[in-house]
Each structure stands twice: as structure tokens, then as C-alpha cells.
């Protein structure tokens, strides 16, 4: 009987250990590159600034078709600054896509936005425009919180 109890206890430990290992493995799912890209914003740590000239040709083609103020709709949006970011997988550092971000102001109100379009490494748009940040009120209240990549393109009178 003791031998049976020892065997049963050993078997239970093995089963519980396998279940625990399986559960831990499920906690670390691999993300599709488009998921990594879709979650990225201009405030993410897995981005780096780049330029249009450094982009692959298929990305340049898609980028030339992006018109953020026009896509927003009513024609009262003005681009104050544009920045292109390469988005990379934090684990592998491989490029998963690009964010084409613009600092947009609204003509009729003291509103400003950072809006971005995501393009994957194959040159396809992912999702719709993403509003990454919203600024409201007098410029002097929010200008210091705008990322430097945008501020360096903006003049004082804007």
C-alpha cells in the first residue's frame, strides 16, 4: 500500500509539473509583427526615427499615398510637423513596420493632435488612423509635452 501511495504521489507531481509548465508557456505568446506594429505609438520604446529616403521602395510607395489631414475629413486640419518612425520587435530588433505620424492642428479650435498611420514591413496599411495624443487649449499649456521630434519642426507663431 505504501508503494502504491508513493507511486501515486510521484504521478501527481509529474502531472502537476507538466500542467504548470504548459500554463507558463501560454503566458508568453508570440505576437504577430502586425500586432506589435498596431500597438506602437510615438511614445513607444520600440521605435526609432527614420527618413523617407531610408525607407524601402514599397514602403515609400505606400507612404506617398498617406494624406492624414484629408483622411480626417472636413478639410480644417493642418499639418504642423511630420515624423516617420521605424517600429521594431523588442525581442528580435527586426523591423515590423513604420509609423507615419503628423502633428495636426484644427483651424477652428485650439485643438492639436498627433495622428499616425501604420504601414507593415510588406508595405500594407494596418488598421485606421490612430490618434496618439490630444492637446487642447492655449499652446503654452501643452507645447512642452509635445515630443521633441515634432517640436523641432514647429515655429513659435504656429
Amino acid at each position: 500500500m505504501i508503494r502504491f501511495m508513493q507511486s501515486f504521489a510521484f504521478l501527481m507531481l509529474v502531472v502537476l509539473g507538466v500542467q504548470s509548465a504548459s500554463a507558463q508557456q501560454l503566458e508568453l505568446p508570440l505576437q504577430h509583427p502586425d500586432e506589435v506594429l498596431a500597438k506602437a505609438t510615438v511614445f513607444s520604446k520600440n521605435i526609432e526615427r527614420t527618413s523617407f529616403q531610408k525607407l524601402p521602395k514599397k514602403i515609400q510607395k505606400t507612404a506617398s499615398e498617406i494624406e492624414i489631414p484629408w483622411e480626417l475629413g472636413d478639410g480644417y486640419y493642418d499639418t504642423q510637423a511630420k515624423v516617420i518612425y521605424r517600429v521594431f520587435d523588442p525581442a528580435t530588433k527586426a523591423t515590423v513596420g513604420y509609423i507615419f505620424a503628423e502633428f495636426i492642428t484644427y483651424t477652428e479650435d485650439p485643438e492639436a493632435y498627433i495622428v499616425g498611420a501604420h504601414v507593415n514591413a510588406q508595405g500594407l496599411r494596418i488598421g485606421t488612423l490612430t490618434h496618439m495624443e490630444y492637446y487642447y487649449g492655449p499652446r503654452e499649456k501643452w507645447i512642452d509635452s509635445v515630443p521633441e521630434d515634432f517640436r523641432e519642426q514647429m515655429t513659435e507663431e504656429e
Side-chain angles (χ1 to χ4, degrees):
M1 181 69 157
I2 293 176
R3 184 105 168 118
F4 172 75
M5 294 294 281
Q6 288 175 338
S7 297
F8 182 75
F10 177 75
L11 181 62
M12 290 303 294
L13 287 174
V14 169
V15 169
L16 290 174
V18 169
Q19 286 178 342
S20 175
S22 295
Q24 288 175 354
Q25 190 174 14
L26 292 175
E27 292 174 9
L28 300 172
L30 294 176
Q31 286 190 329
H32 189 278
D34 288 352
E35 292 175 5
V36 174
L37 175 61
K39 290 178 182 177
T41 73
V42 299
F43 302 102
S44 297
K45 296 199 182 310
N46 62 322
I47 64 170
E48 67 180 17
R49 190 172 178 178
T50 190
S51 66
F52 187 83
Q53 294 77 20
K54 292 180 182 177
L55 299 174
K57 295 292 184 205
K58 61 185 170 187
I59 306 299
Q60 287 182 1
K61 181 181 181 314
T62 304
S64 66
E65 299 168 357
I66 296 172
E67 296 277 345
I68 291 178
W70 182 80
E71 290 181 43
L72 288 172
D74 65 10
Y76 292 99
Y77 294 96
D78 298 307
T79 299
Q80 304 301 322
K82 292 182 179 186
V83 181
I84 302 170
Y85 294 100
R86 178 182 81 90
V87 181
F88 56 90
D89 185 300
T92 65
K93 304 298 185 215
T95 299
V96 295
Y98 301 86
I99 298 173
F100 295 86
E102 296 187 21
F103 188 87
I104 305 285
T105 55
Y106 191 72
T107 306
E108 302 296 320
D109 289 314
E111 297 176 358
Y113 313 89
I114 295 177
V115 181
H118 294 85
V119 176
N120 71 13
Q122 289 73 42
L124 302 173
R125 287 276 298 262
I126 300 299
T128 58
L129 291 178
T130 303
H131 287 72
M132 299 179 183
E133 190 62 78
Y134 172 75
Y135 304 94
Y136 186 79
R139 176 188 169 103
E140 58 274 3
K141 288 189 175 183
W142 49 257
I143 191 63
D144 291 337
S145 65
V146 175
E148 181 64 31
D149 292 342
F150 295 96
R151 277 190 288 148
E152 68 188 22
Q153 298 177 44
M154 299 164 65
T155 61
E156 286 298 318
E157 63 270 359
E158 289 178 356

